[in-house]
Amino acid sequence: MDWTAGYASDVEYTAGFYREQSPTYLNFACVLNGYEPVALNKPYTYFELGFGRGLTANILAASNPNGQFFAADFNPSHVAGARQLADSAQLNNLTLLENNFEDLAQGKVDLPSFDFITLHGIYTWVTAENQQHIVNFIARYLKPGGIVYLSYNAMPGWAMTLPLQRLLTEHADLHPNRSDEQINQAAKFIEKLEELQAGYFTVNPGLKARMEMLKNGSRNYLVHEYMHKHWKPVYHADVARDLAGAKLDYIGSADLPFAYQALFLNAERLALLSSVTDRTMRETMIDYFMNTSFRKDVFMRGARRINAVRQSELLAQTGLALMLPRADVNLAMKLSIGEVNGRAEVYGPVLDAIAKQPHTMNELGAAPGLVGQTYGNLTQIAAMLVASGQAGVFTSVNSAASPDAAKRLNRALAAQVRYGDEYQALCSPLLGSGVNVGFLERLFYLVVSQQPKVNDAQILAKEAWKVMAVQGRRMMKDGKSLDGEEDNIVELSNQFTVLLQNKLPLWKHLRMI
């Protein structure tokens, strides 16, 4: 029997971190949309279905010591790698399981009930039977008041690309091989069709971005995005009806700007939307307005609406932390809804405050230039900065929690730069979440954590060069690779000087180091 059920499992998935799966982030999305969140000031439980390489599960467990985290994947290589990472950080609140959805849904593993159940992307990659197992698992284990996060490939945004995916899998069937080789061969074949101006490509110029990704994107990503036999983007209405079988209600998007419809819908579209009372139909209309291709849905079991007073109480306990130097903040924010331009006179006082240190909304309300601002206005500013990746949200629970496990995991993740560039994130115990961090920054973290009392960029650069030299990596300057040891160390030293001045203080604010 084929244990993969048509899923391309011979090539590992990319080791991505997805912040929308964090408890703090999901709670913020709930409050933003007017619903009572899960209490994080007492022990809670969390389950991730189909954890891939396990980076998200590890980061969330390490940065949220108040939670007990469980995660399952049916790919044994994924499980082995994730367990090795968890062991290196000595995480005692993370249980990683090698089980398929059917085993889990049928209760073959002894599990508690859960406050959070999340899954990223996988719902539209698996069979209809496995989709039902997922729903059954949620029905069996989600607590009343619990939150489900489910992201998936959505229609109508994928409509134009459906024939492209079909062509990829049809070509792969004729060329048995490892999935990454199949995607390489199929991509070359499709490129020839494009060069010959096949009608499908000429009448669909919008395919350009997909074709560019097919040519140059990560093979591991492309295999898992396109090569599953049961790959099928779905409409929100279908997902909402599926999850209604587990007594779930849709409460909003984890893509935060969607809480502010006036930002992306003009008056005429808003008027038409307001004329429709059915929530599912309204979401479908938005998907057609925006040609949505990927959704980040948040559902609740026993969703409870909150009034303005309760919402303000919860927002007052929510904080905002800057995630990049103040001078690097860009108020022309490119978001999923389009570009949003924040006015400097509105955003400036918020950014000035959180550049000094993280602030709760309550503290922001008393900051210079912000006295008299409502939580509603501050929250919209926060949502845009978070959505653009320039800030992160936190709660008082995380600001008081021990950072020890997170720092252990960060050292383990940074140490992985000795072998490659897979784990491109570190965790912030303040945010209860992760921060995407490039290779050079993780290399910097590694040498700084090994020599915490050293603040000489040149000394740190010499240690970093030892790691890079073994791998044959070289620094780049003016678009060219540097050859000699001395030149590489000089450039590393220049980069580390900037990181010592700008990045290290931010990491300390985020309690990462």
Side-chain angles (χ1 to χ4, degrees), residues 154-164 200 204 231 233 235 291-293:
M155 293 290 280
W158 272 95
M160 180 173 55
T161 317
L162 290 175
L164 178 65
Y200 167 62
N204 288 299
W231 180 91
Y235 294 90
N291 195 33
T292 304
S293 62

Side-chain angles (χ1 to χ4, degrees), residues 3 73-81 98:
W3 60 274
D73 199 280
F74 81 146
N75 188 323
S77 63
H78 286 170
V79 178
E98 184 196 343

Side-chain angles (χ1 to χ4, degrees), residues 32 163 361 495:
L32 198 62
M361 295 294 177
Q495 296 290 333

Side-chain angles (χ1 to χ4, degrees), residues 86-102:
D87 289 345
S88 66
Q90 303 168 42
L91 301 183
N92 58 15
N93 65 333
L94 175 61
T95 301
L96 296 164
L97 305 168
E98 184 196 343
N99 291 97
N100 61 32
F101 298 136
E102 183 177 10

Side-chain angles (χ1 to χ4, degrees), residues 359-376:
H359 279 59
T360 63
M361 295 294 177
N362 195 39
E363 292 167 340
L364 278 176
L370 293 170
V371 176
Q373 284 279 7
T374 66
Y375 284 142

Side-chain angles (χ1 to χ4, degrees), residues 301-316:
R301 185 180 217 165
R304 291 167 292 160
R305 275 281 187 186
I306 54 176
N307 61 24
V309 175
R310 176 58 176 161
Q311 188 178 43
S312 294
E313 289 176 352
L314 292 167
L315 289 172

Side-chain angles (χ1 to χ4, degrees), residues 179-481:
S179 296
D180 52 350
E181 281 303 314
Q182 288 179 316
I183 202 87
N184 283 333
Q185 294 168 358
K188 291 176 182 177
F189 173 72
I190 289 172
E191 190 174 354
K192 290 179 181 177
L193 289 180
E194 185 185 26
E195 290 172 356
L196 294 171
Q197 296 186 318
Y200 167 62
F201 298 99
T202 59
V203 301
N204 288 299
L207 281 170
K208 185 176 180 180
R210 299 282 184 194
M211 291 298 296
E212 189 64 29
M213 175 62 74
L214 193 60
K215 294 173 187 175
N216 302 313
S218 160
R219 280 16 226 167
N220 296 66
Y221 163 76
L222 291 168
V223 164
H224 288 265
E225 183 63 271
Y226 287 105
M227 300 297 284
H228 308 308
K229 297 296 184 185
H230 302 280
W231 180 91
K232 183 183 178 183
V234 295
Y235 294 90
H236 166 76
D238 297 327
V239 175
R241 288 169 187 140
D242 288 348
L243 294 186
K247 301 181 180 179
L248 266 60
D249 297 308
Y250 175 74
I251 64 103
S253 176
D255 198 346
L256 304 178
F258 279 90
Y260 301 98
Q261 294 175 349
L263 288 177
F264 60 94
L265 296 177
N266 60 28
E268 292 78 12
R269 290 180 175 185
L270 282 171
L272 179 60
L273 197 67
S274 298
S275 69
V276 177
T277 57
D278 182 78
R279 181 71 183 276
T280 300
M281 186 59 187
R282 285 165 61 90
E283 286 298 310
T284 300
M285 291 170 63
I286 291 172
D287 285 342
Y288 274 80
F289 282 139
M290 305 300 291
N291 195 33
T292 304
S293 62
F294 194 75
R295 287 190 61 100
K296 302 176 180 180
D297 287 355
V298 183
F299 292 84
M300 295 189 77
R301 185 180 217 165
R304 291 167 292 160
R305 275 281 187 186
I306 54 176
N307 61 24
V309 175
R310 176 58 176 161
Q311 188 178 43
S312 294
E313 289 176 352
L314 292 167
L315 289 172
Q317 302 164 25
T318 302
L320 190 66
L322 199 60
M323 293 177 65
L324 74 173
R326 170 71 173 88
D328 292 345
V329 173
N330 186 354
L331 293 183
M333 295 171 283
K334 292 179 172 57
L335 309 174
S336 59
I337 60 171
E339 186 170 300
V340 173
N341 292 293
R343 302 203 319 270
E345 66 271 23
V346 175
Y347 280 73
V350 171
L351 291 166
D352 291 341
I354 63 175
K356 296 175 182 176
Q357 64 182 43
H359 279 59
T360 63
M361 295 294 177
N362 195 39
E363 292 167 340
L364 278 176
L370 293 170
V371 176
Q373 284 279 7
T374 66
Y375 284 142
N377 290 340
L378 292 174
T379 303
Q380 181 169 340
I381 293 170
M384 297 305 113
L385 290 173
V386 172
S388 64
Q390 300 180 109
V393 287
F394 68 91
T395 67
S396 56
V397 174
N398 284 94
S399 62
S402 170
D404 292 347
K407 291 179 179 179
R408 289 196 302 270
L409 181 61
N410 282 342
R411 289 192 291 270
L413 289 169
Q416 291 295 313
V417 299
R418 295 177 297 175
Y419 313 115
D421 191 23
E422 290 188 295
Y423 297 107
Q424 299 179 3
L426 297 174
C427 61
S428 164
L430 175 68
L431 304 180
S433 185
V435 178
N436 291 319
V437 178
F439 177 88
L440 191 62
E441 291 179 335
R442 280 177 284 125
L443 179 59
F444 174 71
Y445 189 103
L446 175 64
V447 294
V448 168
S449 62
Q450 290 173 339
Q451 302 186 67
K453 295 182 179 180
V454 175
N455 60 2
D456 185 305
Q458 187 173 24
I459 293 174
L460 296 170
K462 287 179 180 178
E463 292 302 309
W465 172 245
K466 293 176 184 177
V467 176
M468 290 183 62
V470 171
Q471 298 182 36
R473 287 182 179 270
R474 299 293 182 265
M475 294 297 292
M476 300 289 292
K477 185 176 182 180
D478 299 327
K480 297 180 180 179
S481 176

